[in-house]
Amino acid sequence: MSRNARLIYSPDYTQYYFHDDHPFNQRRLLLTHDLMSSFGILTEADILAPRLATDEELTLVHDPRYIQFVRDQGHSEKELPQAGSYGLGTEDVPCFSNMHESAALIVGGTLNAVDSVMKGQSQHAFNPAGGLHHAFSGRASGFCIYNDCSVAIAYMRKHWNARVLYIDTDAHHGDGVQWSFYDDPNVLTISMHETGKYLFPGTGNTTERGDGPGYGYSINVPLDAFTEDDSFLDIYQELVSKLVKGFKPDVILTQNGCDAHAYDPLTHLSCTMKIYQEIPRLAHRLAHEYCDGRWIGVGGGGYDIWRVVPRAWTLLWSEMSDQPLSDQPLPKEWLERWQPQSELQLPPRLFDEGFPAIPRRAEITEKNRLTLERAIMYGPTGTNSSKE
């Protein structure tokens, strides 16, 4: 078994917990870890434990006053009066005990992934608890308290002066990361997401291209609702393959939210498990082609924790660790262990058995193609870009 990949994991990740009815449920990590193990593609030797990110590391992106408030709120028995001004105590980000510690553990997990890759201890590393891409410098947002993606990028810029390609295929726009590096030409952010016409956070238009020296280094492709696999993958493969050539990154960081799946309860895209095999496959190839293999993956959205998340992230790990999986039945012991706990019928196989075609397929495909053309027109390889 290859040791070129490390999984950053601990059951303590489940302490990032809002309440029983909240859609963000880190129990999905337990199911995912167990599915990887049941397939025989994960052993204890592959796992690297996370650590707490330090305040100094968090302040690479986050306001020190915000960090202190998160710590104070997490140690308070009642909601503090200023919580709302920091984006806390909302329906999306309720307050809970030890908020700072549980969020800092996720950030530290992603930083351990970065260190493993950038120090040459492994070529690839995956932190499935990470991908909290909505948090801003001084405000929580969209289930995210600290932004591990932004902190990781800032950390790589500081310690390795690395040119970072950030690829976000979550159904929600990677807004927190984009705005953190909106004027930095050494960070290329690519976000493919469902259009903000229908979905939080409502941003991620093709006109959001960066500012100052960073103009052209923020790329957004807002996909039409009900986009299916073929259109999604056509856009993804052309977009990323074209932009990586012009940018020439030192390292690739992928945010691997899996809420573009048709089963996801919060979004309106219509993809299947097929895209979650192809997304990491291309990232893996490009990492070896351009970055000496340096590839860091994090998790992200994914709110069907039973039928989608474990399969999607198992496919990512299988690609990252060079242990490819074909379509096959899910392990019997995994199904027997988790089916009694799920109100939903667990899928019998690793891949989906097919969904009805969307009636507007041709129209949606054409709209997405036009959106792609607008998105890359002014990017680093665009014909009108001053960065050519």
Side-chain angles (χ1 to χ4, degrees), residues 28-330:
R28 61 193 184 155
L29 301 179
L30 303 180
L31 282 92
T32 300
H33 174 274
D34 191 33
L35 186 58
M36 293 174 181
S37 301
S38 297
F39 269 122
I41 62 171
L42 178 70
T43 69
E44 287 301 314
D46 300 315
I47 295 174
L48 182 63
R51 63 172 175 83
L52 287 174
T54 66
D55 283 11
E56 180 180 4
E57 290 165 341
L58 293 171
T59 55
L60 291 171
V61 168
H62 293 290
D63 189 312
R65 293 168 296 182
Y66 173 61
I67 297 168
Q68 187 58 50
F69 185 83
V70 172
R71 179 182 281 110
D72 291 344
Q73 178 62 75
H75 295 164
S76 175
E77 294 183 358
K78 60 182 180 180
E79 186 175 307
L80 300 176
Q82 308 97 319
S85 64
Y86 289 107
L88 299 169
T90 64
E91 184 176 358
D92 277 357
V93 193
C95 301
F96 61 94
S97 296
N98 298 313
M99 295 172 63
H100 167 79
E101 290 78 10
S102 61
L105 185 68
I106 292 174
V107 178
T110 300
L111 294 181
N112 270 1
V114 168
D115 281 335
S116 180
V117 169
M118 299 304 289
K119 293 179 179 179
Q121 296 162 354
S122 67
Q123 286 191 314
H124 321 310
F126 176 35
N127 180 24
L132 305 182
H133 59 168
H134 292 306
F136 296 99
S137 173
R139 179 166 57 88
S141 178
F143 314 157
C144 306
I145 296 171
Y146 296 140
N147 193 320
D148 66 293
C149 305
S150 292
V151 173
I153 294 170
Y155 185 80
M156 288 188 280
R157 293 287 305 125
K158 176 181 179 181
H159 293 288
W160 288 277
N161 194 31
R163 288 172 63 81
V164 183
L165 172 59
Y166 172 76
I167 306 169
D168 190 320
T169 49
D170 195 290
H172 300 83
H173 177 224
D175 55 342
V177 184
Q178 172 182 289
W179 301 123
S180 292
F181 303 100
Y182 206 56
D183 59 355
D184 189 344
N186 294 295
V187 179
L188 174 59
T189 63
I190 300 173
S191 181
M192 280 181 59
H193 47 270
E194 182 183 333
T195 172
K197 293 178 182 178
Y198 314 109
L199 193 69
F200 173 92
T203 54
N205 297 315
T206 58
T207 53
E208 296 167 26
R209 297 183 173 127
D211 193 25
Y215 183 78
Y217 290 84
S218 293
I219 306 294
N220 290 288
V221 182
L223 302 171
D224 208 29
F226 306 110
T227 290
E228 297 171 281
D229 290 346
D230 290 347
S231 179
F232 188 103
L233 290 174
D234 285 347
I235 298 296
Y236 168 74
Q237 289 164 352
E238 181 173 340
L239 175 72
V240 175
S241 298
K242 183 172 292 188
L243 292 174
V244 71
K245 288 182 181 179
F247 184 63
K248 296 181 175 59
D250 298 309
V251 58
I252 295 174
L253 172 61
T254 59
Q255 197 271 14
N256 297 275
C258 49
D259 46 3
H261 195 280
Y263 285 152
D264 196 273
L266 301 188
T267 68
H268 314 96
L269 299 177
S270 298
C271 297
T272 75
M273 207 53 59
K274 177 182 176 181
I275 72 168
Y276 299 114
Q277 182 178 58
E278 295 300 327
I279 288 170
R281 182 173 286 171
L282 178 61
H284 194 182
R285 179 174 66 78
L286 294 177
H288 283 287
E289 188 172 344
Y290 290 94
C291 308
D292 293 326
R294 289 184 290 270
W295 172 29
I296 298 147
V298 294
Y303 307 101
D304 188 320
I305 71 168
W306 301 99
R307 298 178 295 179
V308 175
V309 178
R311 293 188 295 159
W313 290 347
T314 293
L315 282 169
L316 189 155
W317 173 251
S318 77
E319 174 66 33
M320 184 175 274
S321 60
D322 293 314
Q323 301 173 93
L325 294 172
S326 59
D327 187 21
Q328 56 194 282
L330 295 187

